[in-house]
Amino acid sequence: MSALSFNNKNQINWAWQVEAAAVNSESSEIRKRLMDLKKPVYLAQNGAGLGLSQEVSAQGTEAVLAFAQALNPEDLGDAAFKQQHNVKYAYHGGAMANGIASVELVIALGKAGFLCSFGAAGLVPDVIEDSIKRIQAELPNGPFAVNLIHAPAEEALERGAVERFLKLGVDTVEASAYLGLTEHIVWYRLAGLSENADGTVNIGNKVIAKVSRTEVGRRFMEPAPQKLVDKLLAQGKITPLQAELSKRVPMADDITAEADSGGHTDNRPFLTLLPTIITLRDEIQAQYNFSPALRVGAGGGIGTPEAALAAFNMGAAYIVLGSVNQACIEAGASEHTRKLLAGVEMADVTMAPAADMFEMGVKLQVVKRGSMFAMRANKLYDLYMNYDSIEAIPAAEREKIEKQIFRQNLDDVWAGTIDFFHERDPEMLARAQSSPKRKMALIFRWYLGLSSRWSNIGEKGREMDYQIWAGPSLGAFNSWVKGTYLQEYSQRKAVDVALHLLKGAAYLQRVNQLKLQGVSLEQSLLGYSPE
């Protein structure tokens, strides 16, 4: 049976011809030629059958029936994104908090021409500064970004992070988990504005904003709110010129439509969120006519070449991956965690309370396979909602969580919490001292905060408490690489993974081009597998 068939005679291109000797109809050779992404392929007759050639010829005797263009991984996505961020590929390694998106991950991807965000969320400013300096030493000209997470319960951390970014000359941040704009993200953005000789605005501090709601997306797509601009100007943090220039630029250069991701997520369906955010972008871009124009990328739910290609074909300027990278050897996760992640299936994730927004009821997506974190964290949140203080919790319930979750007396936990916040955020501690409810929240956040650290460092004896952020895309990735060398977690290098995803997307696009012209391919040629 032939590997190819053709059923659209109206598509024959008599202007292009190939030499009969150059047409190969062997399945293995057809795949090889489809995989040679740097060259186009041409479908033509080969005796009684059909095959592919990679060249047209003026002396050819066989008419070209269909063709697929050359398409390299670096051709995918928006050229303006690649140019502005000085990268080769429209691929962004998204931030994963507590340094899971590690210095090593950022450097590895950056050296290969990919943008990656260092996972600064949850880290104190001194650790952030040290990490940035290490990245800058290896990537003095970039590309890299640093995560800036909205921290409504710990404003000092957000402010401290921005101070370090400006001090160290960090020119790109990935803003995540924002419910609305704060003066800190506005300060970062506006402090980098200057005027070019031709009167245009130079944007020195670039912002990539992850959003899953249109109301938040709109705030990042529009200029900074005048109220916050005036406040920063009064504080002397920006100049009058920067305040004026702020009216001519959006708050972000790139908007990532964050669908069903790991960590903070609204579990939005990918197929509905991305076009909704793109439509909003089109509306706002038409209103303001920003130059360069606003771009929209896609993150959350991408773990296979099919998903990557779907995002690009739906108009995404770039794609963002996080969960998949967490299982790579460069990630700041323990070997136990990375091994566990390599076995996760799509249904092995669930929602649990977020440590940084615990009191607000915000949840994030975590792995439930091999961990009881989600169940235990949800138990703590139920207690928080049902009681006004630690003292109000029934003795039997308190004893149960002390033994099963905290593994120590809650009074001792509170003593440790005092020491922790005394260094991290004294203002937070002062507010809790006068509020039994807030004190209870901080005690419960002790467990939620440490559980992710235990996962990162591989804390022995705490494996069932590991908080591991991941979305269902990781399960899809694991299914895709099953039976290949990438099935083994110790073989997963971030650059390899990224290139295979993009190569796969390019390969599938070429297959689709042939199919749209009436070409049918045998089943073995329809998919891409890492080799």
Side-chain angles (χ1 to χ4, degrees):
M1 180 179 177
S2 175
L4 301 168
S5 62
F6 183 69
N7 56 15
N8 191 351
K9 303 303 181 183
N10 294 326
Q11 289 292 110
I12 297 176
N13 190 330
W14 296 104
W16 288 351
Q17 293 182 320
V18 298
E19 295 182 8
V23 180
N24 197 299
S25 58
E26 294 292 329
S27 293
S28 59
E29 187 62 27
I30 289 172
R31 171 171 282 280
K32 182 179 178 181
R33 294 183 178 191
L34 283 171
M35 281 294 302
D36 189 358
L37 301 174
K38 296 183 181 298
K39 294 181 180 180
V41 291
Y42 303 94
L43 178 75
Q45 203 75 29
N46 179 14
L50 295 170
L52 294 182
S53 173
Q54 292 179 293
E55 295 179 352
V56 293
S57 171
Q59 288 76 43
T61 59
E62 299 297 330
V64 171
L65 306 177
F67 81 102
Q69 69 188 87
L71 185 64
N72 299 303
E74 56 266 35
D75 297 329
L76 298 168
D78 191 292
F81 174 87
K82 289 174 274 190
Q83 180 179 6
Q84 186 169 18
H85 294 290
N86 190 29
V87 293
K88 186 177 180 180
Y89 306 98
Y91 176 107
H92 179 196
M96 293 175 283
N98 291 338
I100 296 173
S102 65
V103 169
E104 293 75 17
L105 182 67
V106 173
I107 293 171
L109 286 170
K111 286 186 173 181
F114 298 90
L115 180 67
C116 183
S117 296
F118 172 66
L123 303 178
V124 295
D126 285 348
V127 173
I128 294 173
E129 178 169 342
D130 177 69
S131 300
I132 291 171
K133 288 179 177 178
R134 290 167 56 199
I135 295 170
Q136 290 175 327
E138 295 291 329
L139 299 171
N141 300 312
F144 72 91
V146 182
N147 183 217
L148 178 62
I149 194 166
H150 180 39
E154 296 182 83
E155 185 184 358
L157 287 184
E158 188 179 342
R159 180 177 64 248
V162 170
E163 290 171 348
R164 302 302 170 102
F165 297 165
L166 296 176
K167 169 188 172 183
L168 298 172
V170 172
D171 66 6
T172 308
V173 302
E174 182 184 19
S176 59
Y178 275 81
L179 305 175
L181 296 179
T182 67
E183 66 174 281
H184 310 302
I185 181 65
V186 175
W187 177 28
Y188 173 81
R189 178 67 163 175
L190 271 53
L193 298 181
S194 60
E195 191 169 32
N196 295 316
D198 61 0
T200 58
V201 182
N202 177 60
I203 301 174
N205 293 340
K206 299 183 287 292
V207 174
I208 303 171
K210 287 198 294 191
V211 306
S212 56
R213 301 187 182 196
T214 53
E215 63 270 24
V216 178
R218 179 179 292 278
R219 293 187 179 104
F220 277 101
M221 292 181 188
E222 294 179 337
Q226 193 61 44
K227 180 179 179 180
L228 292 179
V229 175
D230 292 342
K231 183 177 181 179
L232 292 169
L233 186 60
Q235 294 172 346
K237 291 184 174 180
I238 61 172
T239 67
L241 176 59
Q242 288 168 334
E244 189 62 30
L245 294 176
S246 72
K247 301 174 183 177
R248 296 161 54 188
V249 298
M251 267 300 300
D253 306 274
D254 299 284
I255 305 294
T256 300
E258 184 181 16
D260 195 7
S261 67
H264 296 93
T265 180
D266 285 320
N267 304 112
R268 294 289 188 263
F270 175 85
L271 291 174
T272 55
L273 178 65
L274 180 58
T276 300
I277 298 298
I278 289 176
T279 298
L280 177 64
R281 183 277 312 272
D282 292 344
E283 171 195 325
I284 293 176
Q285 181 63 30
Q287 178 182 353
Y288 290 96
N289 194 28
F290 293 124
S291 180
L294 283 160
R295 296 179 294 263
V296 175
I302 301 176
T304 63
E306 289 83 356
L309 180 58
F312 286 126
N313 283 344
M314 289 171 66
Y318 58 95
I319 58 173
V320 181
L321 277 87
S323 299
V324 167
N325 288 333
Q326 188 177 187
C328 293
I329 61 174
E330 300 91 347
S334 66
E335 183 173 5
H336 176 94
T337 294
R338 288 188 288 108
K339 183 178 181 179
L340 182 65
L341 286 167
V344 165
E345 298 181 1
M346 283 189 291
D348 290 337
V349 294
T350 189
M351 301 300 291
D356 55 347
M357 300 183 188
F358 179 78
E359 297 94 322
M360 300 169 65
V362 173
K363 294 194 171 186
L364 36 69
Q365 193 154 216
V366 299
V367 173
K368 64 180 179 181
R369 180 174 185 170
S371 173
M372 297 182 69
F373 167 77
M375 183 180 72
R376 290 171 175 173
N378 281 314
K379 173 65 176 178
L380 294 179
Y381 187 73
D382 289 342
L383 291 174
Y384 174 76
M385 293 300 295
N386 291 328
Y387 301 99
D388 292 327
S389 68
I390 289 293
E391 292 72 22
I393 299 174
E397 285 284 6
R398 174 168 175 162
E399 182 180 2
K400 185 183 299 183
I401 63 173
E402 286 179 335
K403 288 183 176 180
Q404 297 179 355
I405 300 178
F406 293 92
R407 299 190 187 178
Q408 58 181 294
N409 186 281
L410 293 185
D411 294 334
D412 295 333
V413 173
W414 175 238
T417 302
I418 291 175
D419 293 338
F420 176 79
F421 279 102
H422 182 73
E423 176 184 356
R424 184 183 180 99
D425 190 348
E427 296 177 12
M428 169 76 72
L429 188 60
R431 292 194 297 270
Q433 296 279 16
S434 59
S435 170
K437 188 81 168 179
R438 186 162 288 172
K439 173 184 173 181
M440 177 168 55
L442 291 189
I443 290 174
F444 290 172
R445 283 174 58 186
W446 175 95
Y447 173 75
L448 274 67
L450 280 178
S451 58
S452 61
R453 182 174 183 273
W454 292 333
S455 171
N456 294 351
I457 66 175
E459 183 76 17
K460 298 294 184 182
R462 278 290 191 172
E463 289 85 356
M464 295 304 292
D465 292 293
Y466 284 5
Q467 179 182 179
I468 307 170
W469 303 307
S473 61
L474 178 61
F477 176 86
N478 288 336
S479 178
W480 171 54
V481 301
K482 189 174 182 180
T484 75
Y485 81 103
L486 288 178
Q487 180 176 346
E488 176 57 45
Y489 74 96
S490 62
Q491 297 297 312
R492 296 186 183 183
K493 297 180 180 179
V495 173
D496 275 1
V497 167
L499 286 174
H500 277 304
L501 285 165
L502 293 178
K503 285 180 180 178
Y507 176 89
L508 294 173
Q509 184 74 317
R510 279 156 60 95
V511 168
N512 286 344
Q513 287 177 356
L514 292 173
K515 290 166 68 176
L516 286 171
Q517 295 169 75
V519 180
S520 297
L521 297 87
E522 68 177 28
Q523 192 69 32
S524 65
L525 298 174
L526 296 179
Y528 173 91
S529 179
E531 298 176 358

